[in-house]
Amino acid sequence: SPNFPVSFKPSRIRIDFKIKFLTNESTITDLGTDLLTVRLLTMAGPVVIAAFDDSGASPGSKNLTIRGDDKFHPSDCSANWKYETGLLQVSYYRSFHDSVLTRMSEGPMALEFSLSNQFDSNFDSAVVIDDVQVRLSH
C-alpha cells in the first residue's frame, strides 16, 4: 500500500482484506512452494500478519482469523491456473505492548503484500486482493 500517515501512536490495529490464491504448484508437496506474506510496515519494524502458500492458509490464531474455503481445488478462474482457494476473508487484530509502542515513533505505516517464488522457477502463483481495510485506535 502507499504510506498512510499516523499522527498518534496506535495501541490497537485491525486489518481486514479478502484474497483468492491461485497456483500451478503441486498442492500435495512441500517442494516448490510459493508464499504470500502480509506485513504491516511500521517505524518500529515489520509486523507479520499472515502467510499463505500452496499448501493452504496459515492456521487461525488468537490474532488471525481466516474464513472461507482455504483448501485448493481445480480452478474455475481460467485455463491459466490449475488450483485456487475460495475467496478468503482475513481479519487480524492486535494490541501493541508498551515495549513495541516505545520503539514505534509517530510516522507513516504501510501494508505490504509480497508474493515470492520458493525453490523453483517453473511454476507460478497469483493472489487477488480486495477490500483492504486498516483501522488504528488509541
Side-chain angles (χ1 to χ4, degrees), residues 87-108:
L87 185 62
L88 305 177
Q89 174 65 49
V90 180
S91 296
Y92 177 83
Y93 177 84
R94 179 171 178 177
S95 295
F96 293 109
H97 298 288
D98 287 339
S99 61
V100 174
L101 287 174
T102 57
R103 294 184 300 138
M104 187 183 300
S105 62
E106 296 176 7

Side-chain angles (χ1 to χ4, degrees), residues 31-81:
L31 300 176
T33 301
D34 287 341
L35 177 68
L36 169 70
T37 305
V38 183
R39 300 186 313 165
L40 177 67
L41 305 178
T42 74
M43 298 303 287
V47 177
V48 175
I49 295 170
F52 306 85
D53 64 19
D54 61 314
S55 298
S58 296
S61 71
K62 77 174 195 179
N63 295 333
L64 176 68
T65 58
I66 302 167
R67 291 186 305 269
D69 181 9
D70 65 350
K71 304 295 184 224
F72 281 90
H73 50 80
S75 179
D76 294 328
C77 185
S78 81
N80 294 333
W81 301 107

Side-chain angles (χ1 to χ4, degrees), residues 111-125:
L111 199 56
E112 176 186 70
F113 295 88
S114 172
L115 184 60
S116 57
N117 195 33
Q118 304 289 320
F119 305 117
D120 67 48
S121 59
N122 299 324
F123 300 103
D124 295 314
S125 294

